[in-house]
Amino acid sequence: MPDALLDDLNPQQRQAVTAGDGQVLVLAGPGSGKTRVLTRRLAYLIERQGVPAYDIIAVTFTNKAAREMEHRVVTLVSQNLEGIWLGTFHAMCARLLRRESAYLPFSASFVIFDDSDQQTLIKRAMRELNIDEKIHRPAGVHAAISAAKNDLQLPKDVPRRTYRDEVVARVYEKYQSFLTLNNAVDFDDLLLYTATLLQENPLVAEKYARRFRHVLVDEFQDTNLAQYVMLKQLAAFHHNIFVVGDEDQSIYRWRGADYRNVLRFEKDYPACETILLEQNYRSTQNILDGARQVIDRNRNRTPKHLFSERGSGNKIVQYVAVDDIAESAFVVDTITQYLKSGKASANDFAVMYRTNAQSRIIEEALMHAGIPYRLIGAQRFYGRREVKDVISFLRLVANPADEVSLLRMINVPPRGIGDKTVLTLQTTAMQAGVSVGQVVLELGQNGEGSPYWQGVGRSAALLADFGTLLGEWYALKDKISLTALVDRILQDTGYEEYINDQTEEGNDRWENVLELRRLASDFEERGLTEFLQNLALVSDQDTIPLAESDDPERPRGAVTLLTLHAAKGLEYNQVFIMGLDEGLLPHSRSRDDPEEMAEERRLFYVGMTRARNQLYLLRAERRRTFNTYDYGEPSRFLSDIGSDLISNQGRHSASRREAYESSFTWGSTGLSGTAKRHTDTTPKETRYRPGMRVRSSSWGDGLVLESKIDSDGEETVDVHFESVGFKRVLASLANLEII
C-alpha cells in the first residue's frame, strides 16, 4: 500500500523525517526539498508517533512559509492541528508575551509599533536628549539599537567605547522608556523580551519547555543570538529539537542573522544527528558544480556535494560586455530570441544584481523592447523615493511654478516647514493670484521686504531660506553643467546625510542617487529640459506592457528583476546575474572584512543555485561614470569556476588587463586610488554603438557588441547575429540597418 508520507522521499530525506528523539541538524542544500522534509517530519510526529499537535512548536521566518507548512500538513494527517504553535518567530513571541505579561513592564494589551512609529520615538528621544540629528542620523541610531537587541543587550549592556556608543546607549534607554509609556514594543523587543524572560525566569521557562515535546525550526541559518537562546530554552526539558538550514545560504548578516548558530548547535549538542540533503531537484549538474566551486572557498562550513539526476545540462554562459549598456542589451537580446522561438515565456527569466541601483539600465532596455517585467523587493527605479526627490528638485529648478514638486521638496530634508505653514503659503499665493513658487522665490529674494512676508506668518524666514536656495539654483541652471547642478543641490540640501544612514538600505538609497547623477551626465550637452523630458518618457508606467495582456503578440508573464538578497527561496528556468565586477559583486564594502566577503560569496552562491536550466554570468569591461568610463576587474568569484563548466561569449577582459592597473581602492562613491580612469575615447565618427540592434540583408537581426575606427579610418563593427553568431564586418560594406 502506498505510503503518502514516505514513498516519494529519497534515502536522506526519509532518514530526516523518521529520525528518533533528540537533536537533529538537517543541512539542506539548495533545491534539496527542505520544505518537504520539514512538513513531512511534522506530519510524521503527529500521524506515526502519536505526538499531539498541542505538544509541538514549529517556527518559520515568514507568514507565507507558515501557511504553506500548515496547508501541507493538514493534507497528510487524519487529525486536526488544534493547539499547535505554528508560525513566525515574532508571532510565537507575541503569543507567549501576552500570556506572561505579569512578568513584563507592559500589559497583555500591548501594541506593536511599526517602522514609522519607531522612527518617531527615536527622533523624539534624540530631541529630548539634545542630540543633533545631522551628526547622528536617527535611522543609523535605530539600526544600532536593533543590533543591540538582537544580541540580547539592554541599554546598560551597550559598550561605551566611543562617543557614538554613548549616544546609542542614551537614546536606547530613552526610547525604551517611551515604548513602555505607550504600552508598546517593537519587533526586536518581541525577541529580546521572550529570550530574556525564558533565561531569567526558570518557572516560565520550565512551563513551556515541558509543554513543547518537539521543537521544529525552519531556515535555522538565519537565526540571531536572541532566537537561538530562545530555542535552547524551549528544548531544555525534552531535548527534542529538529532544525533545518544551510549555512551556505546565510545572507542576512546585516539584519542580525548569524550562520555560526549552526556551529553553536553542533557544539551545544555534541550527540546531535547531522543529516546532509545533497540531492538537488532544481538545477542541472553543471550549475551545481560551478556553485560548489564558488562556495567551497568559504571556511567554517560543512562541505556538501550536491548532485542532480537531471544530467549535465548546458554550460554556464559567461558574457563579457564592452560596457554596462551592452551588458543589458545582451540580456534583452537573449530573452527576445527565446520568446521569438516559442521555447519560453517571459516569466521563465530572472535578472539578478547586487544593488537596486543596477536595475535602472536593464529596466529601460526591457521597456524599449516591449518586454514586461516586475520588480521583487523594490520599487521601479524611477519610483524610488530618493530618485523622485532629486527629480523633483530638478523639475522645480526648471519650473519654479511646479507646485507638486515644490510641496514635495519644501521640507526635504526637514527644515521646520510643516503642514500649517504650507497651507498658509498656498492661501497667500491664491489670494495674490500667483504660483506658490513665485511667493517662495520672492521671499528668498527680498526677505522682510517682500509683500508676502507678513502673510505667511512666523515661518516666513524658513520659507525665505528655501527660496534663496531655489533662486540660486535657478540662476545657475544655464551657467553650469547638469551634473554640477545636481551636485550643488545635493550639497546645499545635505541630501546625502539625510538619505544615507550607513546601513545597507541607506547605502543602497545613496547609490540610487549616484545612478541618477550618472544618467544626468549623458545629457550634459542637451541640458536640463531635455533630461527631464527623457525621464518623463522613460519612467511612464504606461509604456510597460501588462503581464496579463490579451495581445497574442506579447509574451505571457513578466521577466523578474530582483536583487540577490531577494532571490532566496525562488527558482527560474533561466537566470542572469549581472555586474560580476570587483566592487559590485563582491561589493566594495566587503573588501577589508573577511566575514563580509564570505557573505558576498554566499550571496553569489544563492543566486547561482536559483537557475534550473541555464545560468548566465555577466560583467562589463567598463562602466559609465558620469562623462568617463571606469575600467574594472572581473569578480574574483568568476575565477573559482572551472573552465570546463564555462561557455565564454562576448569580449574577454583578460586580453585588456594591460590597459589598466590591477590595484584598486574603493571609496563610498566608487572606484578610486591607483586604478586608472579612462575617458571615453570612442571616436565620435562611429555610426554604430554597443547595444544597438541592427539588420543585415545576409544574416538578419543582430546586436552590436563594439564599433571602432581603425588606422585607415574604416569603421569595424562586432555584431552578434541571431542566425550565425559573432561576425566582424566593415560598416562601409555591410550596409547594416539600425532598427
Side-chain angles (χ1 to χ4, degrees):
M1 183 176 178
D3 190 335
L5 275 178
L6 304 175
D7 278 355
D8 59 346
L9 302 179
N10 67 39
Q12 289 72 36
Q13 291 174 332
R14 183 178 294 205
Q15 180 187 355
V17 170
T18 61
D21 288 350
Q23 304 89 47
V24 181
L25 171 63
V26 181
L27 296 178
S32 62
K34 169 181 67 67
T35 303
R36 171 181 290 188
V37 165
L38 196 61
T39 53
R40 296 292 179 87
R41 173 67 175 179
L42 184 53
Y44 181 83
L45 289 173
I46 296 172
E47 194 74 3
R48 301 292 167 82
Q49 299 298 304
V51 179
Y54 180 88
D55 293 350
I56 299 173
I57 181 170
V59 288
T60 66
F61 271 83
T62 66
N63 289 310
K64 180 182 177 182
R67 288 194 299 270
E68 183 180 353
M69 189 183 303
E70 183 175 12
H71 175 74
R72 291 191 186 186
V73 173
V74 166
T75 64
L76 293 168
V77 300
S78 57
Q79 57 180 289
N80 64 47
L81 300 182
E82 186 178 355
I84 193 172
W85 281 36
L86 173 58
T88 65
F89 273 99
H90 291 94
M92 299 297 99
C93 289
R95 186 174 181 180
L96 190 152
L97 293 177
R98 294 193 192 280
R99 292 188 172 198
E100 309 301 334
S101 61
Y103 299 97
L104 301 166
F106 42 77
S107 73
S109 60
F110 66 83
V111 295
I112 303 170
F113 275 5
D114 61 18
D115 289 339
S116 176
D117 298 327
Q118 294 166 40
Q119 285 294 319
T120 299
L121 285 192
I122 291 287
K123 290 178 179 179
R124 180 184 168 191
M126 293 179 68
R127 284 197 303 271
E128 291 203 7
L129 294 169
N130 294 316
I131 295 171
D132 192 339
E133 292 186 15
K134 294 180 180 178
I135 300 174
H136 302 281
R137 307 302 302 170
V141 174
H142 189 202
I145 292 172
S146 177
K149 289 183 177 184
N150 288 333
D151 285 338
L152 297 181
Q153 292 178 340
L154 298 172
K156 63 180 177 60
D157 304 319
V158 175
R160 304 191 183 203
R161 295 178 294 263
T162 66
Y163 179 66
R164 175 172 170 76
D165 292 341
E166 179 70 28
V167 168
V168 169
R170 291 171 60 205
V171 176
Y172 184 1
E173 186 174 14
K174 179 68 71 173
Y175 170 66
Q176 288 302 109
S177 70
F178 286 157
L179 285 170
T180 302
L181 285 172
N182 283 272
N183 197 39
V185 298
D186 62 20
F187 295 111
D188 297 314
D189 282 335
L190 294 172
L191 305 179
L192 172 66
Y193 280 119
T194 303
T196 53
L197 175 63
L198 295 175
Q199 273 188 314
E200 297 173 1
N201 196 309
L203 291 176
V204 174
E206 185 180 355
K207 171 183 173 181
Y208 288 94
R210 281 181 175 273
R211 170 177 173 173
F212 296 124
R213 285 174 54 190
H214 289 271
V215 179
L216 284 71
V217 189
D218 192 16
E219 302 287 3
F220 184 64
Q221 78 282 343
D222 291 332
T223 54
N224 57 33
L225 179 61
Q227 290 162 331
Y228 184 74
V229 168
M230 184 195 318
L231 293 169
K232 280 191 66 180
Q233 291 290 334
L234 292 175
F237 188 83
H238 296 287
H239 306 291
N240 296 324
I241 180 168
F242 183 99
V243 303
V244 182
D246 181 11
E247 68 264 58
D248 292 336
Q249 297 186 72
S250 180
I251 59 174
Y252 300 120
R253 183 171 180 259
W254 51 279
R255 287 199 320 215
D258 190 350
Y259 74 95
R260 292 171 298 183
N261 283 344
V262 173
L263 305 177
R264 290 191 181 102
F265 188 91
E266 293 178 300
K267 181 180 178 181
D268 291 341
Y269 303 109
C272 75
E273 181 179 5
T274 300
I275 302 169
L276 300 184
L277 302 186
E278 296 176 302
Q279 182 171 354
N280 179 284
Y281 294 90
R282 176 187 301 151
S283 307
T284 58
Q285 194 63 49
N286 281 337
I287 294 171
L288 296 178
D289 287 346
R292 178 182 56 78
Q293 290 171 359
V294 169
I295 201 63
D296 276 352
R297 298 277 183 158
N298 271 359
R299 300 177 179 179
N300 299 320
R301 55 178 294 274
T302 304
K304 305 175 194 68
H305 302 281
L306 299 179
F307 66 94
S308 171
E309 295 182 350
R310 297 190 59 213
S312 297
N314 298 327
K315 289 188 175 183
I316 299 169
V317 173
Q318 180 177 329
Y319 183 81
V320 183
V322 176
D323 57 24
D324 44 1
I325 294 176
E327 181 186 41
S328 290
F330 173 81
V331 174
V332 173
D333 191 60
T334 303
I335 293 173
T336 300
Q337 292 181 46
Y338 270 106
L339 298 178
K340 284 182 176 179
S341 72
K343 297 178 180 178
S345 60
N347 54 15
D348 288 327
F349 302 93
V351 184
M352 302 176 185
Y353 33 79
R354 177 63 177 84
T355 66
N356 281 312
Q358 293 171 255
S359 75
R360 199 270 305 171
I361 295 178
I362 186 65
E363 283 187 67
E364 290 187 7
L366 289 167
M367 281 188 217
H368 292 147
I371 298 174
Y373 70 90
R374 59 177 172 263
L375 278 167
I376 291 182
Q379 290 179 303
R380 300 184 187 277
F381 180 81
Y382 294 104
R384 293 167 191 160
R385 184 191 78 181
E386 59 277 9
V387 174
K388 293 178 70 173
D389 280 353
V390 179
I391 292 173
S392 293
F393 274 130
L394 292 171
R395 286 176 53 184
L396 191 56
V397 172
N399 175 27
D402 181 353
E403 185 170 332
V404 172
S405 294
L406 188 145
L407 295 183
R408 175 184 177 92
M409 306 316 299
I410 198 167
N411 199 44
V412 177
R415 50 178 61 90
I417 300 174
D419 293 342
K420 187 176 180 181
T421 299
V422 169
L423 181 60
T424 303
L425 176 63
Q426 290 176 304
T427 303
T428 300
M430 183 177 64
Q431 291 174 344
V434 299
S435 69
V436 172
Q438 206 169 329
V439 174
V440 172
L441 283 173
E442 169 68 27
L443 288 168
Q445 184 175 356
N446 296 312
E448 294 185 28
S450 168
Y452 308 118
W453 185 270
Q454 296 297 325
V456 296
R458 292 179 295 177
S459 300
L462 297 174
L463 293 170
D465 288 343
F466 183 68
T468 300
L469 288 177
L470 180 57
E472 290 174 355
W473 301 336
Y474 186 80
L476 290 170
K477 69 181 177 71
D478 297 321
K479 298 178 181 178
I480 60 177
S481 69
L482 183 54
T483 51
L485 178 62
V486 172
D487 288 343
R488 176 67 182 267
I489 292 171
L490 295 175
Q491 179 181 343
D492 287 349
T493 58
Y495 194 79
E496 180 179 4
E497 291 77 14
Y498 168 66
I499 207 70
N500 188 2
D501 54 24
Q502 303 305 315
T503 63
E504 183 85 9
E505 294 89 344
N507 286 316
D508 280 350
R509 289 192 291 268
W510 182 240
E511 286 181 4
N512 289 333
V513 173
L514 293 178
E515 174 63 16
L516 183 69
R517 184 186 184 276
R518 193 211 66 76
L519 181 60
S521 70
D522 293 338
F523 288 79
E524 293 286 55
E525 297 180 359
R526 287 173 282 178
L528 176 59
T529 300
E530 193 163 341
F531 177 59
L532 292 173
Q533 177 178 300
N534 178 76
L535 291 181
L537 294 173
V538 169
S539 62
D540 187 353
Q541 299 304 300
D542 293 335
T543 66
I544 304 172
L546 297 175
E548 303 302 323
S549 171
D550 294 327
D551 186 345
E553 297 298 317
R554 289 178 178 170
R556 302 288 293 176
V559 175
T560 301
L561 307 183
L562 69 171
T563 66
L564 290 163
H565 280 107
K568 182 80 171 292
L570 304 175
E571 57 184 61
Y572 303 89
N573 285 342
Q574 286 85 24
V575 169
F576 300 84
I577 302 179
M578 303 178 66
L580 277 156
D581 307 334
E582 285 290 310
L584 279 178
L585 183 63
H587 199 280
S588 58
R589 293 193 297 272
S590 67
R591 184 177 182 185
D592 299 320
D593 187 335
E595 284 291 343
E596 289 287 349
M597 185 60 70
E599 177 133 328
E600 291 291 300
R601 190 176 293 278
R602 293 194 294 270
L603 190 59
F604 182 42
Y605 173 79
V606 166
M608 294 178 73
T609 53
R610 301 308 95 191
R612 297 191 188 102
N613 304 327
Q614 184 67 69
L615 175 63
Y616 297 87
L617 305 179
L618 295 90
R619 65 170 303 265
E621 287 190 326
R622 60 187 186 183
R623 294 187 185 274
R624 188 72 178 270
T625 306
F626 317 128
N627 63 344
T628 64
Y629 279 112
D630 284 337
Y631 285 82
E633 281 209 318
S635 168
R636 67 190 68 190
F637 301 152
L638 292 174
S639 63
D640 297 334
I641 306 172
S643 58
D644 59 315
L645 302 176
I646 294 290
S647 170
N648 287 294
Q649 297 185 21
R651 294 179 58 87
H652 301 282
S653 59
S655 65
R656 299 283 305 262
R657 285 179 184 254
E658 68 275 5
Y660 51 89
E661 304 280 340
S662 62
S663 177
F664 291 80
T665 59
W666 289 85
S668 61
T669 59
L671 192 60
S672 62
T674 59
K676 294 179 181 179
R677 171 170 285 190
H678 296 253
T679 58
D680 182 6
T681 58
T682 305
K684 302 300 182 185
E685 293 79 9
T686 56
R687 182 184 180 196
Y688 303 97
R689 299 189 305 276
M692 275 186 173
R693 296 281 298 162
V694 295
R695 182 169 292 147
S696 163
S697 57
S698 303
W699 300 307
D701 294 352
L703 177 73
V704 175
L705 303 178
E706 188 174 22
S707 183
K708 59 184 178 182
I709 306 296
D710 63 21
S711 57
D712 297 323
E714 284 276 7
E715 183 175 4
T716 306
V717 191
D718 293 349
V719 185
H720 183 273
F721 290 102
E722 297 173 13
S723 60
V724 295
F726 176 84
K727 293 286 184 180
R728 176 168 289 166
V729 300
L730 292 176
S732 60
L733 300 177
N735 294 320
L736 299 174
E737 177 191 355
I738 299 173
I739 57 177

